Amino acid sequence: MTYRSVYVHVPFCRHRCGYCDFTLVAGRDDLIGDYLDALDLELKRVEGVVEIDTLFFGGGTPTHLPPEALRRLFEIVLSRFRLASGYEFSVEANPANLSLETVDVLAQAGVNRVSLGAQSFDSRSLAMLERDHRAEDIELAVRWLRRQGIANLSLDLIFGVPGQNLAEWRETIRRAIELQPPHVSAYGLTFEKGTAFWTRRQKGQLEQADEELERAMYAVAMEELPAARLVQYELSNYAHAGFECRHNAMYWSGEPFEAFGPGAARLIDGVRQTNHRSVFTWIKRLQSGESPVGETDPLTAEGRARELIFVGLRRTSGIDRRIFESRTSLSLDALAGGSIRRQTSLGLLEDTGTHIRLTREGRFVADSVIAEFL
Ligand code: SF4
């Protein structure tokens, strides 16, 4: 099967937020020119012009690039890919650096979906997360994007921020809903090894939100967002009907996709490849005519099937036995019948006969339920 989706990683930010472990360089705008040249080189392996349905620029912060560099980035990529009718072209943006000029560049390039890293409307939480924007910047960004005709907006929110209480999280949800975005992502804060937050927690300088509070916050998201027609369609994602992110849905269905940029991972012909995660090494390798690939993982049929279970259980619609078997040529019950029965008897999984899916209770402990299937 040929791919119909492309991801491009843009590894630049002004500053690295304390909780972030993404592939990026902070405060190294001097590398933007080399990055664009290297990306152009990496894209040379695309033969001809390929038609695709979804294109996603993530980071880092793509909108951290100055308007001229952003324009060049889009030109480089769109010279290799043609967007099919009804396409979805998404860009991640930071409210802190979204100027009117940048919004113009997005609109002119054909961007029709923006995922805005709002994270919180509460100044204490924004400061704790080391974000460099204010709540007013989020509102202004939404206004500018809509004025340029980009109405398909997602607001990314984070709960479980150290020091954040339930009332503050409720208020963040309320202000997000007030802006009427057709899509919201709400993630619990995680402490990843290697981040500044991880180190601060180890040293006792930062206290992680306790489990009960985090559970209450997740429950608030699962109640308040659907009440505003933002239906939960994945553990952390909510959308108005027809505004579910198609690019992410493609990942969750196990479809093939291409990817470019440092740390970018692709899935082609059942093989997962990940580019080198160091921005410097990725640039150097491309400059010297070497492959930028850091890891290659030819997935076994069973490995692919287990990945499909992993992503399928994250979707509220769950896993359709018939589709699963047609995609993997493996029986879901032969592979995981014992786990399905056990989790169903615990009330964490629902088995309708045609589908298995997490129950509401199962969503609170999704990581441990899903881990049993891996
Ligand atoms: S803005 Fe986003 S990508 Fe950049 S450092 Fe902060 S969390 Fe990471």
Side-chain angles (χ1 to χ4, degrees), residues 13 15-17 19-20 22 24 59-61 94 131:
C13 285
H15 149 88
R16 183 182 282 275
C17 306
Y19 61 95
C20 179
F22 296 150
L24 61 92
T61 309
N94 183 342
R131 303 294 303 201

Side-chain angles (χ1 to χ4, degrees), residues 55 57 63 70 74 78 83 87-93 102-115 145 148-153:
L55 176 59
F57 286 76
T63 56
L70 192 60
F74 292 146
L78 291 171
L83 295 161
Y87 70 87
E88 179 188 88
F89 181 176
S90 301
V91 172
E92 288 179 344
T102 300
V103 173
D104 262 349
V105 175
L106 299 180
Q108 279 166 21
V111 172
N112 59 10
R113 183 176 186 277
V114 168
S115 178
L145 288 161
Q148 281 301 337
I150 305 176
N152 188 356
L153 300 174

Side-chain angles (χ1 to χ4, degrees), residues 302 305-306 309 321 324-325 328-341 373:
E302 186 179 330
R306 292 201 183 276
I309 297 178
R321 281 190 164 84
F324 180 87
E325 292 181 16
T328 62
S329 308
L330 292 171
S331 148
L332 184 59
D333 296 286
L335 200 63
S339 301
I340 294 172
R341 282 188 295 279
F373 290 88

Side-chain angles (χ1 to χ4, degrees), residues 359-373:
T359 59
R360 186 174 186 282
E361 188 53 34
R363 291 180 206 165
F364 288 105
V365 287
D367 288 347
S368 62
V369 177
I370 292 173
E372 184 168 333
F373 290 88

Side-chain angles (χ1 to χ4, degrees), residues 53-58 62-63 74 87-93 98 106-107 109-116 145 148-156 181-185 187 230 233 236-240 242-249 252:
D53 297 316
T54 72
L55 176 59
F56 196 107
F57 286 76
T63 56
F74 292 146
Y87 70 87
E88 179 188 88
F89 181 176
S90 301
V91 172
E92 288 179 344
L98 203 59
L106 299 180
V111 172
N112 59 10
R113 183 176 186 277
V114 168
S115 178
L116 209 51
L145 288 161
Q148 281 301 337
I150 305 176
N152 188 356
L153 300 174
S154 178
L155 295 184
D156 291 351
H183 191 285
V184 169
S185 300
Y187 294 95
L230 289 153
Y233 68 102
S236 309
N237 287 285
Y238 307 78
H240 288 169
F243 285 87
E244 298 84 2
C245 177
R246 285 171 55 199
H247 189 82
N248 283 341
W252 300 330

Side-chain angles (χ1 to χ4, degrees), residues 191-358:
F191 288 70
E192 304 296 338
K193 205 168 179 181
T195 61
F197 270 28
W198 169 278
T199 311
R200 286 172 63 193
R201 188 184 61 178
Q202 296 296 97
K203 290 183 179 163
Q205 296 167 350
L206 207 59
E207 207 174 322
Q208 190 168 355
D210 76 57
E211 236 171 77
E212 277 310 300
L213 177 59
E214 231 178 284
R215 185 186 161 98
M217 288 177 165
Y218 189 32
V220 164
M222 286 201 288
E223 277 151 28
E224 306 283 329
L225 294 168
R229 291 188 300 114
L230 289 153
V231 177
Q232 186 176 19
Y233 68 102
E234 197 260 358
L235 286 174
S236 309
N237 287 285
Y238 307 78
H240 288 169
F243 285 87
E244 298 84 2
C245 177
R246 285 171 55 199
H247 189 82
N248 283 341
M250 172 279 302
Y251 290 142
W252 300 330
S253 319
E255 309 275 337
F257 59 96
E258 251 297 5
F260 303 89
R266 65 190 64 84
L267 179 66
I268 303 280
D269 296 332
V271 178
R272 183 176 303 285
Q273 280 187 337
T274 309
N275 281 351
H276 207 287
R277 289 192 168 84
S278 154
V279 179
F280 302 94
T281 308
W282 174 82
I283 290 174
K284 274 209 187 88
R285 285 199 181 179
L286 283 156
Q287 282 172 342
S288 53
E290 291 172 58
S291 162
V293 175
E295 286 164 33
T296 298
D297 182 10
L299 296 171
T300 60
E302 186 179 330
R304 277 204 74 180
R306 292 201 183 276
E307 257 193 19
L308 270 186
I309 297 178
F310 174 80
V311 289
L313 283 180
R314 293 189 58 90
R315 306 178 82 163
T316 52
S317 56
I319 301 170
D320 181 324
R321 281 190 164 84
R322 211 172 31 83
I323 296 177
F324 180 87
E325 292 181 16
S326 75
R327 287 237 162 92
T328 62
S329 308
L330 292 171
S331 148
L332 184 59
D333 296 286
L335 200 63
S339 301
I340 294 172
R341 282 188 295 279
R342 208 179 86 76
Q343 298 293 348
T344 306
S345 71
L346 291 171
L348 302 175
L349 211 61
E350 181 192 8
D351 187 346
T352 66
T354 57
H355 289 70
I356 60 162
R357 62 173 77 101
L358 290 173

